[in-house]
Amino acid sequence: MSSPPCDKSFCSNYMLLNPEDAKLGDVFKILFSSDIAKRKFVDCPDGTDEPFGRRWIIFVSILAQKFLQATAKPLAAVGSGVEYWLNLLAGNGGFFGLIKNTFKGEVVQPDNTSADYFSFIGNLDRRQQLDPTISPGEKKYYAALSIMAAKASYENKTHIKSVVEDHWKMSLVDSYDFWNDYQEKATTQAFIMDDKEDTIVVAFRGTETFDADAWSSDFDLSWYEIHGIGKMHGGFMKALGLVKSQGWPQEQDPGQQETAYYAIKKQLRKLLEANEKAKFVLTGHSLGGALAVLFPAILGLHGDSFLLGRLEGIYTFGQPRVGDDKFGQYMNSLIEKHNFSCIRFVYSFDLVPRLPYDDSTLLFKHFGTCIYFNSLYTGKVVEEEPDKNYFSIIWMIPKFFNACWELIRSFIIRYVKGPDYAEGGLLRLFRVIGVMVAGVPAHCPHDYVNATRLGLSEDVFLSSNGQKILKTQ
């Protein structure tokens, strides 16, 4: 065991996985010995015993991360090629436009640093304008702004600046690539903006399709337990800014690379001290949603009542579970004490909000208010999304027929709801995949944008306000 990765005065337990230290033979040995502290790639207190179910999870987590490390460069190369091709087609008016421009010698070459260049996620839904029917002051304004900010966070810095300032007529504070102390490179992305209506928005980027580092954070099922708070997902904690051999000090040492939590906290304090009326919102899709809900947890650990008192709300989309039952209780008490909203949006059979498992092995739990939308984009407040752990035989047939309906809907929605809801060929391909693996296309930001525009009625928000604190399931 290495030196504890935390201050013992507040860190009660931990189990951090280090895939770079794992040799294949040693990884297999963990299946046959309950004393996981003997393994070089597991950082935990001496004598830590885990049952087979949890050791199996560690085994799978390490193998997944090792695979991602080995394939990171080819995966990134494939992603760059796919994005280039998609932007080449879009920039030349589609396939036939590209053929025409080729013969004319007028092919428009995409520039991956330009405002017109879309990420793979962005190519699934190229909408950039905010919902024109929603204005500041309306109950669903924060949710509608948050999903568009969460979607924009996948784009390059120039694109984000153009969307925020040219399309939304708001002010971009900055966009960032933050250091991950465990991956030893800048792998956490976020941006901060000011809506010019006294709201600061912090949007964390989710998992890019071809980003092995982000996928590694998702698959890293390390955990980290803090006195009075509970256990939290180690991969997400590392991405937010967990400091090696220190955990969560009040401030980072001046000589260290600044991580997301500390840099954002510093910037928020500066912005909010300059505007006494302003509040801030935290948002993100997928992994970004996980970072958004963990951020105030660490503020609470540090006793930062100033920032918590200025937090208007957390709005996440397709967010995975981030902690155990005790952590959920801690977060609900924090929400009640500082009176901010914590709303997670779940669309249909989206796979990600149903992971990691809420069961006796993994012990993960959701907290706060859940607004669930079915495939008709009808929203309602629920205590837990249906089929909460996803892999249920009972739900296989309903999920299959729902995926078939979503594929059919992709062809007709533009005629029913208008051209702004039209779906392109790439998203339809995802819908086909969804017939075979239900829940994959449901995770795309596209359906969450539609849900906030079509299914988020005032009645739903009135209901959510009445259930700000939900009993942890």
Side-chain angles (χ1 to χ4, degrees):
M1 184 194 74
S2 62
S3 59
C6 55
D7 181 341
K8 288 185 177 180
S9 65
F10 63 81
C11 173
S12 59
N13 209 347
Y14 58 91
M15 192 277 292
L16 298 180
L17 304 179
N18 303 299
E20 63 278 359
D21 297 331
K23 295 182 179 180
L24 193 59
D26 204 28
V27 175
F28 277 93
K29 286 179 182 178
I30 202 169
L31 297 175
F32 303 100
S33 173
S34 62
D35 187 356
I36 63 172
K38 292 180 179 178
R39 309 277 76 85
K40 293 181 179 179
F41 58 88
V42 181
D43 189 3
C44 63
D46 290 330
T48 300
D49 287 338
E50 291 287 7
F52 179 79
R54 292 183 189 171
R55 284 184 280 127
W56 172 255
I57 295 298
I58 293 171
F59 173 77
V60 173
S61 174
I62 287 290
L63 285 187
Q65 291 180 74
K66 294 291 284 184
F67 174 78
L68 287 163
Q69 287 177 347
T71 59
K73 289 184 178 179
L75 185 63
V78 169
S80 295
V82 171
E83 284 185 356
Y84 178 86
W85 176 250
L86 292 172
N87 282 278
L88 182 66
L89 289 175
N92 288 278
F95 180 75
F96 293 107
L98 176 60
I99 297 296
K100 179 182 176 182
N101 287 351
T102 300
F103 281 112
K104 293 171 64 178
E106 299 175 355
V107 173
V108 178
Q109 295 291 341
D111 174 5
N112 63 6
T113 64
S114 73
D116 297 326
Y117 195 90
F118 283 80
S119 66
F120 182 81
I121 298 293
N123 273 287
L124 290 168
D125 181 0
R126 296 175 70 92
R127 287 175 292 186
Q128 295 177 301
Q129 297 292 355
L130 296 174
D131 184 350
T133 67
I134 299 175
S135 304
E138 292 187 39
K139 294 183 183 298
K140 56 184 182 179
Y141 169 73
Y142 294 118
L145 177 60
S146 291
I147 180 54
M148 292 302 288
K151 188 169 83 74
S153 68
Y154 287 96
E155 307 305 330
N156 66 61
K157 295 176 183 288
T158 308
H159 186 120
I160 293 171
K161 183 176 177 65
S162 175
V163 167
V164 172
E165 298 187 347
D166 299 336
H167 292 274
W168 300 350
K169 307 304 179 186
M170 298 177 181
S171 176
L172 177 68
V173 176
D174 208 346
S175 54
Y176 311 87
D177 293 296
F178 292 116
W179 185 256
N180 182 318
D181 222 17
Y182 284 81
Q183 294 181 347
E184 298 184 340
K185 49 187 167 180
T187 57
T188 299
Q189 287 76 33
F191 75 87
I192 302 176
M193 55 168 274
D194 183 342
D195 76 342
K196 298 183 180 179
E197 297 285 346
D198 297 326
T199 300
I200 307 298
V201 178
V202 180
F204 292 92
R205 198 195 77 172
T207 303
E208 267 279 19
T209 311
F210 300 98
D211 184 348
D213 293 319
W215 282 109
S216 292
S217 293
D218 296 334
F219 278 103
D220 182 0
L221 291 176
S222 305
W223 54 262
Y224 189 94
E225 185 173 10
I226 296 176
H227 291 299
I229 294 180
K231 289 183 179 180
M232 289 164 278
H233 187 294
F236 300 155
M237 296 280 275
K238 294 173 185 177
L240 183 62
L242 188 69
V243 181
K244 266 188 178 180
S245 302
Q246 296 181 57
W248 291 109
Q250 283 283 349
E251 301 293 339
Q252 276 191 279
D253 293 338
Q256 292 178 320
Q257 293 268 16
E258 205 165 36
T259 61
Y261 169 77
Y262 295 98
I264 292 171
K265 182 175 72 167
K266 185 189 298 183
Q267 185 63 264
L268 281 174
R269 183 172 292 275
K270 178 181 176 182
L271 293 168
L272 295 170
E273 286 176 346
N275 182 354
E276 294 181 355
K277 295 180 180 179
K279 289 204 166 190
F280 73 99
V281 164
L282 297 165
T283 189
H285 167 260
S286 192
L287 166 63
L291 302 184
V293 297
L294 284 173
F295 187 86
I298 309 304
L299 289 178
L301 170 67
H302 290 155
D304 198 328
S305 57
F306 172 77
L307 286 182
L308 286 170
R310 303 287 289 274
L311 175 57
E312 190 285 327
I314 311 164
Y315 301 89
T316 68
F317 306 86
Q319 169 219 313
R321 298 182 178 104
V322 301
D324 66 0
D325 179 68
K326 188 176 179 181
F327 177 73
Q329 293 174 13
Y330 163 78
M331 283 301 298
N332 280 337
S333 66
L334 205 64
I335 293 165
E336 185 173 28
K337 179 180 178 180
H338 296 281
N339 194 33
F340 59 84
S341 298
C342 182
I343 302 177
R344 61 183 186 89
F345 297 87
V346 177
Y347 168 72
S348 192
F349 292 109
D350 182 353
L351 168 65
V352 174
R354 294 163 167 90
L355 298 172
Y357 272 9
D358 174 356
D359 64 6
S360 59
T361 299
L362 289 177
L363 306 173
F364 281 88
K365 303 285 183 181
H366 274 307
F367 57 87
T369 301
C370 175
I371 298 182
Y372 173 79
F373 298 92
N374 62 22
S375 57
L376 297 174
Y377 298 121
T378 301
K380 64 177 180 179
V381 175
V382 298
E383 292 191 353
E384 186 73 70
E385 55 271 22
D387 186 25
K388 72 174 184 178
N389 284 330
Y390 186 77
F391 294 101
S392 168
I393 296 175
I394 297 173
W395 284 93
M396 286 180 65
I397 294 176
K399 284 191 284 192
F400 171 77
F401 283 109
N402 188 77
C404 292
W405 154 244
E406 289 176 331
L407 178 59
I408 295 168
R409 187 192 63 194
S410 71
F411 289 92
I412 63 175
I413 191 169
R414 68 175 301 165
Y415 304 107
V416 178
K417 300 297 182 181
D420 195 43
Y421 297 92
E423 298 188 12
L426 182 62
L427 184 54
R428 284 178 186 157
L429 176 60
F430 263 63
R431 301 289 189 201
V432 172
I433 294 172
V435 174
M436 297 176 282
V437 187
V440 173
H443 187 57
C444 297
H446 178 92
D447 282 315
Y448 285 99
V449 174
N450 287 358
T452 57
R453 297 185 180 192
L454 299 173
L456 197 55
S457 66
E458 293 291 300
D459 290 340
V460 172
F461 252 96
L462 287 171
S463 178
S464 72
N465 287 339
Q467 299 187 39
K468 246 184 188 178
I469 309 299
L470 292 178
K471 182 179 178 182
T472 306
Q473 297 304 296

